[in-house]
Amino acid sequence: MAFTAIHPEHGRLDATRSDLGCGLDWSQVYRVRPRVSLTCPECGWGVHAKRSPRRARYFAHNPGRPPDCQLSNESVEHHLLKLELATVVRASGWHAELEVRAPDGSWRADVMASAPDGGRRMAWEAQLSPITLDDLRERTGRYTDAGIGVCWVSPRDEGVPWLGAVPAVRVTPPAQGVSAWTVADGIAQFDEDRGVWIRVIGTELGVFTRWVFNEQLSPHPILARYRRIYLTRGGAMARRGMIWTTARSTAAEARHEKKRQRQEAWKREQQQREEEAEERKRQEEEARRQEEERRRKIEQEAAQAEARERHRLLMIELEAERKRREAERREKEEQARQAEQERLERERQEREAAARWWAELSVEQWRELVDAVAALSLKEKSARAAPRDNQTVVEYAYGVPLYAAGRLYGVVRPYPASVPRWSFHRSTRVFVRNVREAELVIEQGVDAANVVHFDLPDYEQMHLC
């Protein structure tokens, strides 16, 4: 939806003007056959003349328009506010053009107002979508660089964070019993007696534009000290950096600021006299303080000397204690070292004894014993028990664990002397060759119910397992 279009022969058309801005009648472009080849001034896509349900004239994009065309993506509320701005500009005696783009593309005004003599131009921007303050200031600067005034207009009830940062107003549409749009925020007058700015509400939008064009109102950067303005007399306040106001209010603010500065200068002089008197008093007190400090320092030095002596004696005592603890520490470390050597020696002797225990068994005897266990596991578990690598395991008292169906089935021939250090010997089955070996492991604490022997004979072993 847009109010402007490009005619192949007559150039720019403005749907808000009776002659479309170029001497044409609406009937010459609306529902004519063949359809006039109109294009969008923003994206260049084809458009055609239409009317809204309320008979408002506008140009609609033909199917397949580019999705990034700004004119087609603007809301109905945005277009209606642009139409209202163009209406009040024209009613104020100025010329209004909608959707005007700079020759270099640096700006595009929703409504560009031009004075009858062509000497002044002012952009009126309907701003409904969120925008950052930096972007708004940058766009305002582009208009300023081009010698164009600007006023940003928002119809939002609340939540216009940039109001007061750039030349801007907040407007409200006609309510019941009211026929015109009004300015709800952005205009203020200065109360010189109180030294505050007070918001002016209820000004018709058409009156506001006329005052602006006649230079009865202009954007005024508020002095830093006065930027909290009253939204109502004695009511809530808001921070503003810029407002629309009269030259009289601007002069009143300047007079109040000069008066305030004179008062501040008198206060500073009075404060300086008080400070000088205070300085004399301070110097006298400083002299007394220095004398007291001199005496205190003498006493402090004596106390510090006493403290240093106490500290020296304490250090001697602490050093003696440190040496005693260091001797105890070295003694404990030596005891721990000896204990570790004894432990390693016991483990070495135990490994050698376990090796001799296994050296009693030949390869044939080992296979005979494993086959016997395997036969028993087939009978009990329907799975053949077998060792994983035929290696003794320290954790199983130097016995060889057998597994059936992926789970531990039992341990073969744990070394009896290592059994007491085996944490699971009370719940794990133990397999040995004969009664003699069974008695040896039972004597070391293995539950007899968990010991299985196969009554295999003892005879001389010739090989290690």
Side-chain angles (χ1 to χ4, degrees):
M1 179 177 180
F3 290 116
T4 57
I6 303 300
H7 192 284
E9 297 176 3
H10 297 277
R12 184 182 180 87
L13 305 183
D14 188 339
T16 65
R17 301 180 63 179
S18 59
D19 64 349
L20 302 183
C22 62
L24 288 180
D25 186 76
W26 181 250
S27 62
Q28 293 179 263
V29 295
Y30 180 62
R31 290 187 174 179
V32 297
R33 294 291 184 272
R35 180 180 287 181
V36 181
S37 180
L38 305 178
T39 57
C40 173
E42 177 72 17
C43 66
W45 196 259
V47 296
H48 56 279
K50 290 193 70 173
R51 281 187 181 275
S52 72
R54 296 185 178 182
R55 309 300 294 168
R57 305 188 307 189
Y58 67 95
F59 297 103
H61 282 73
N62 296 333
R65 65 169 176 83
D68 57 351
C69 178
Q70 294 184 10
L71 289 179
S72 63
N73 290 328
E74 290 177 349
S75 65
V76 174
E77 186 181 13
H78 191 139
H79 286 289
L80 293 178
L81 180 54
K82 287 197 298 185
L83 182 60
E84 179 62 24
L85 290 172
T87 301
V88 296
V89 166
R90 290 165 182 161
S92 299
W94 279 42
H95 177 67
E97 289 184 87
L98 280 82
E99 302 157 1
V100 178
R101 178 180 289 276
D104 61 358
S106 60
W107 49 261
R108 180 177 66 81
D110 286 335
V111 177
M112 179 60 74
S114 302
D117 62 1
R120 291 169 56 202
R121 288 195 299 170
M122 183 171 180
W124 295 82
E125 289 285 359
Q127 187 62 43
L128 284 76
S129 59
I131 187 172
T132 66
L133 185 55
D134 289 342
D135 287 344
L136 204 64
R137 284 173 172 161
E138 181 182 356
R139 292 172 62 182
T140 301
R142 294 175 191 167
Y143 284 118
T144 302
D145 294 342
I148 301 171
V150 63
C151 182
W152 298 88
V153 184
S154 173
R156 300 302 187 204
D157 291 339
E158 298 294 343
V160 186
W162 41 265
L163 187 65
V166 292
V169 292
R170 183 170 63 83
V171 298
T172 56
Q176 187 174 5
V178 180
S179 60
W181 285 67
T182 57
V183 178
D185 202 348
I187 307 175
Q189 62 182 11
F190 192 77
D191 186 332
E192 191 170 357
D193 293 334
R194 299 169 60 190
V196 295
W197 285 95
I198 302 174
R199 179 178 65 169
V200 177
I201 59 176
T203 304
E204 290 187 3
L205 181 58
V207 174
F208 170 71
T209 56
R210 187 166 63 252
W211 286 349
V212 171
F213 293 152
N214 294 338
E215 299 183 291
Q216 294 171 271
L217 289 178
S218 60
H220 170 64
I222 300 176
L223 297 178
R225 192 175 184 86
Y226 305 96
R227 287 181 179 172
R228 287 181 61 82
I229 73 169
Y230 281 95
L231 300 181
T232 58
R233 288 186 179 273
M237 302 184 75
R239 183 170 292 276
R240 296 282 192 271
M242 180 176 291
I243 43 84
W244 289 90
T245 191
T246 62
R248 182 169 60 184
S249 283
T250 301
E253 181 193 48
R255 287 194 301 271
H256 189 277
E257 177 61 14
K258 288 181 179 179
K259 178 181 177 182
R260 186 193 66 78
Q261 289 179 359
R262 288 194 300 271
Q263 292 174 343
E264 289 292 332
W266 180 86
K267 289 179 180 179
R268 286 194 297 271
E269 291 175 359
Q270 181 67 17
Q271 183 178 3
Q272 183 176 359
R273 289 192 292 270
E274 293 175 355
E275 289 176 352
E276 289 174 353
E278 184 67 23
E279 176 62 18
R280 288 191 296 271
K281 181 180 178 181
R282 187 195 66 78
Q283 290 176 354
E284 293 171 358
E285 292 178 350
E286 177 64 17
R288 288 193 298 270
R289 186 195 65 78
Q290 288 180 357
E291 177 59 23
E292 293 174 357
E293 178 66 17
R294 185 185 67 81
R295 295 177 180 176
R296 186 192 62 79
K297 190 173 183 180
I298 293 173
E299 296 174 355
Q300 185 180 31
E301 288 176 350
Q304 288 176 347
E306 182 181 353
R308 285 194 295 270
E309 178 61 19
R310 289 198 302 268
H311 182 265
R312 186 183 68 81
L313 296 175
L314 177 61
M315 290 297 100
I316 293 174
E317 182 180 349
L318 291 177
E319 178 62 16
E321 177 64 16
R322 185 192 67 78
K323 291 179 179 179
R324 183 187 63 80
R325 291 183 178 179
E326 179 64 19
E328 291 180 354
R329 182 188 65 78
R330 287 197 297 269
E331 183 179 357
K332 289 180 180 179
E333 288 180 351
E334 179 61 23
Q335 292 174 352
R337 186 188 64 78
Q338 292 178 357
E340 177 65 12
Q341 288 181 345
E342 291 173 359
R343 183 187 66 79
L344 294 175
E345 178 61 21
R346 286 195 302 270
E347 289 183 356
R348 184 190 64 77
Q349 293 176 0
E350 186 174 335
R351 283 195 302 271
E352 292 177 354
R356 290 192 297 272
W357 163 259
W358 278 99
E360 297 174 356
L361 213 64
S362 68
V363 173
E364 289 77 10
Q365 286 178 308
W366 162 247
R367 290 175 180 171
E368 182 182 29
L369 178 55
V370 170
D371 289 343
V373 176
L376 180 61
S377 68
L378 285 172
K379 181 179 180 182
E380 293 180 346
K381 303 291 186 180
S382 297
R384 181 180 180 85
R388 289 181 175 173
D389 55 10
N390 290 337
Q391 296 296 319
T392 61
V393 178
V394 176
E395 289 76 8
Y396 292 112
Y398 294 97
V400 178
L402 300 185
Y403 297 88
R407 300 183 64 179
L408 180 67
Y409 181 64
V411 177
V412 176
R413 292 192 86 236
Y415 177 51
S418 299
V419 166
R421 287 182 291 281
W422 176 18
S423 57
F424 301 105
H425 70 274
R426 299 185 183 279
S427 59
T428 305
R429 298 183 76 182
V430 173
F431 302 102
V432 294
R433 289 184 56 81
N434 48 41
V435 174
R436 180 183 65 82
E437 292 184 352
E439 290 175 349
L440 291 174
V441 296
I442 292 172
E443 287 176 359
Q444 297 300 324
V446 177
D447 189 347
N450 291 335
V451 179
V452 179
H453 72 83
F454 297 96
D455 201 20
L456 298 175
D458 285 327
Y459 50 87
E460 184 177 358
Q461 310 301 317
M462 299 302 295
H463 304 281
L464 289 176
C465 176

